[in-house]
């Protein structure tokens, strides 16, 4: 069985706590995150074998469907996802900067995974709804063509989910903005 991650994004905190408790009881998963984000949503991130993660996410979606904003299950997520979420990614240089912004957390992580698997890019940061009124964004870098390809693929994914807000690609960003990127 493959290693996987799954997320449930709840519209309320009370539902979030009930959902994470039920998910932990429904399947053998590790709860990586269970926290309140802006504007009072609750995000649950779990990992484990693909079948267990699917069972946990399906449980929450079935039990609390009307209070669930979005979900996903990713088998074999790209290894750059977690350093970008936790702010530990350290790219050596920024040749081009890609930015993608979504209305929710789940759509952003799925888009970031797809972007990282599409082209040779480095994920810099995934900012997940904290201090952003529920919106999320990612920053990535690589060659201009790789960043453009990755952002296009990520835009298509987020757009299919109805969660795309905006995106940009900046070739050779000014040194004067680097302190705002890291």
């Amino acid at each position: 069985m493959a290693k996987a991650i799954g997320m449930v994004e709840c519209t309320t905190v009370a539902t979030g706590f009930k959902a994470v408790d039920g998910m932990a009881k429904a399947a053998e998963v590790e709860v990586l995150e269970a926290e309140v984000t802006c504007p009072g949503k609750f995000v649950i991130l779990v990992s484990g074998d693909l079948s267990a993660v699917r069972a946990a996410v399906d449980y929450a979606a079935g039990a609390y469907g009307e209070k669930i904003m979005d979900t996903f299950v990713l088998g074999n997520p790209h290894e750059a996802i977690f350093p970008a979420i936790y702010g530990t990614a350290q790219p050596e240089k920024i040749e081009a900067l890609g930015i993608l912004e979504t209305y929710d957390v789940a759509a952003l992580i799925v888009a970031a995974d797809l972007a990282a698997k599409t082209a040779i890019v480095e994920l810099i940061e995934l900012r997940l709804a904290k201090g952003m009124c529920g919106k999320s964004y990612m920053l990535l870098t690589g060659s201009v063509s790789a960043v453009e390809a990755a952002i296009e693929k990520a835009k298509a994914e987020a757009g299919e989910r109805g969660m795309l807000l905006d995106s940009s690609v900046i070739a050779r960003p000014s040194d004067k903005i680097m302190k705002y990127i890291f």
Side-chain angles (χ1 to χ4, degrees), residues 15 21 23 26 35 38 48 55 117 142-143 146 152 157 171-172 174:
T15 296
D21 179 65
M23 291 169 72
E35 64 184 352
C38 294
K117 291 175 178 175
S143 70
E152 282 305 311
E157 175 62 32
R172 296 176 310 285
S174 168

Side-chain angles (χ1 to χ4, degrees), residues 24-112:
K25 292 173 179 173
E28 188 61 37
V29 293
E30 179 182 356
V31 178
L32 301 175
E33 298 280 340
E35 64 184 352
V36 177
T37 62
C38 294
K41 297 188 300 183
F42 196 92
V43 173
I44 305 159
L45 182 64
V46 297
S47 72
D49 290 333
L50 183 58
S51 60
V53 170
R54 169 64 61 204
V57 171
D58 287 350
Y59 163 79
Y64 305 104
E66 74 283 351
K67 300 275 177 123
I68 303 297
M69 182 171 186
D70 204 354
T71 67
F72 73 75
V73 173
L74 291 175
N76 297 317
H78 194 278
E79 66 272 2
I81 292 289
F82 288 105
I85 289 173
Y86 296 119
T88 60
Q90 297 291 323
E92 290 188 26
K93 69 175 188 166
I94 306 249
E95 185 177 337
L97 180 65
I99 306 106
L100 182 95
E101 189 174 356
T102 64
Y103 287 107
D104 76 340
V105 175
L108 184 82
I109 293 175
V110 172

Side-chain angles (χ1 to χ4, degrees), residues 12-23:
T12 69
V13 174
T15 296
F17 277 109
K18 289 190 300 185
V20 71
D21 179 65
M23 291 169 72

Side-chain angles (χ1 to χ4, degrees), residues 100 107 110-119 138 146-160 164:
L100 182 95
V110 172
D113 182 65
L114 190 57
K117 291 175 178 175
T118 295
M138 73 170 159
V147 168
E148 287 174 341
I151 290 294
E152 282 305 311
K153 196 72 152 175
K155 279 173 49 177
E157 175 62 32
E160 276 183 28
L164 178 64

